[in-house]
Amino acid sequence: MDESSAIIGTAIIVALSGLWYIGVFDKIEFQEGEDSFLGPAKFFYKNHSGPYSQSGKHFEDIDKFLASRALQHFKKAGIYYDDPKTTTTRPTRYAAGFLVNLEEGKGGQEEQIVGKMDDILKEFQVMTIDKTRTISSTFPMRAGSLSFALSAMKTYPAFLNKGYKMMCGSVEVYACEKIETHFPLEKFERFIPVNEQQ
């Protein structure tokens, strides 16, 4: 093997290793039952419309908001209401925000925001998410905004290929090391736009 072939071979190995690391070759697995649920939580959010690919700037603003109030450990989340493949007569709609876990008890996240509620409510709307059974999957968060795109590109087709049906919006929860995608199995009215709720 000459030197140029060795360099090319090494480059290919490095490239494949990088793709493997960020999850390109990961198989999407789904969970159901007692181990797959959302909530109970409060979701502080802002509504947006437009391509989902442009949602990143809104989550960057949320990062800054949380960090400036020592709440950077709270998980960010998005509710994605529309299927971009079938929504052609108007922009797709979504809500971007962060979750407050209601199960942590004394000293938990709900107590941590008590003195900051006025400030938070100036910026965000709020909804309560009761404990909700879901079908869920996870994807590694290792490449910043690229991980968001890869997760969506792999998760939603896999969900449909399994024969599942979306009954309402999907919920993506962004933790430090993973993206959780939840497809609710109940309480559908909580995961559609407020102006369409009965």
Side-chain angles (χ1 to χ4, degrees), residues 3-22:
E3 184 177 353
S4 60
S5 297
I7 292 173
I8 293 171
T10 300
I12 292 172
I13 291 171
V14 170
L16 290 174
S17 297
L19 293 174
W20 171 83
Y21 176 75
I22 65 175

Side-chain angles (χ1 to χ4, degrees), residues 7-81:
I7 292 173
I8 293 171
T10 300
I12 292 172
I13 291 171
V14 170
L16 290 174
S17 297
L19 293 174
W20 171 83
Y21 176 75
I22 65 175
V24 169
F25 304 119
D26 283 18
K27 182 180 179 181
I28 301 297
E29 302 285 354
F30 293 97
Q31 289 186 319
E32 298 182 60
E34 293 300 318
D35 294 329
S36 181
F37 59 88
L38 269 174
K42 286 185 178 179
F43 180 47
F44 293 88
Y45 67 97
K46 293 182 181 181
N47 286 314
H48 303 281
S49 62
Y52 293 156
S53 60
Q54 296 179 9
S55 64
K57 59 187 178 183
H58 302 302
F59 287 105
E60 289 175 4
D61 290 340
I62 294 167
D63 276 331
K64 294 175 184 176
F65 179 89
L66 293 174
S68 68
R69 291 155 180 84
L71 301 173
Q72 61 269 20
H73 53 291
F74 284 41
K75 293 179 180 179
K76 299 185 298 297
I79 302 179
Y80 298 89
Y81 296 116

Side-chain angles (χ1 to χ4, degrees), residues 39 48 105 113 122 125:
H48 303 281
I113 65 168
K122 288 177 183 178
Q125 300 180 63

Side-chain angles (χ1 to χ4, degrees), residues 4-186:
S4 60
S5 297
I7 292 173
I8 293 171
T10 300
I12 292 172
I13 291 171
V14 170
L16 290 174
S17 297
L19 293 174
W20 171 83
Y21 176 75
I22 65 175
V24 169
F25 304 119
D26 283 18
K27 182 180 179 181
I28 301 297
E29 302 285 354
F30 293 97
Q31 289 186 319
E32 298 182 60
E34 293 300 318
D35 294 329
S36 181
F37 59 88
L38 269 174
K42 286 185 178 179
F43 180 47
F44 293 88
Y45 67 97
K46 293 182 181 181
N47 286 314
H48 303 281
S49 62
Y52 293 156
S53 60
Q54 296 179 9
S55 64
K57 59 187 178 183
H58 302 302
F59 287 105
E60 289 175 4
D61 290 340
I62 294 167
D63 276 331
K64 294 175 184 176
F65 179 89
L66 293 174
S68 68
R69 291 155 180 84
L71 301 173
Q72 61 269 20
H73 53 291
F74 284 41
K75 293 179 180 179
K76 299 185 298 297
I79 302 179
Y80 298 89
Y81 296 116
D82 299 309
D83 181 348
K85 291 185 177 180
T86 59
T87 304
T88 57
T89 59
R90 53 171 168 73
T92 50
R93 299 163 298 174
Y94 58 97
F98 64 95
L99 294 170
V100 175
N101 189 319
L102 299 181
E103 282 194 318
E104 293 185 343
K106 187 174 178 61
Q109 291 188 349
E110 194 171 18
E111 285 193 6
Q112 294 172 37
I113 65 168
V114 168
K116 303 172 183 178
M117 279 297 293
D118 289 344
D119 191 27
I120 291 172
L121 292 175
K122 288 177 183 178
E123 296 285 334
F124 297 93
Q125 300 180 63
V126 59
M127 73 164 71
T128 298
I129 299 177
D130 296 325
K131 189 172 182 178
T132 303
R133 293 182 302 111
T134 68
I135 298 170
S136 65
S137 66
T138 61
F139 190 81
M141 174 81 85
R142 296 173 181 155
S145 59
L146 180 57
S147 290
F148 296 134
L150 285 172
S151 177
M153 289 169 60
K154 292 177 69 69
T155 300
Y156 291 89
F159 179 83
L160 297 175
N161 288 340
K162 282 278 190 179
Y164 296 131
K165 292 184 179 180
M166 293 184 64
M167 305 302 293
C168 59
S170 61
V171 183
E172 296 183 10
V173 179
Y174 309 114
C176 292
E177 298 180 351
K178 66 181 179 180
I179 300 168
E180 300 174 11
T181 304
H182 291 267
F183 302 92
L185 291 172
E186 58 183 348

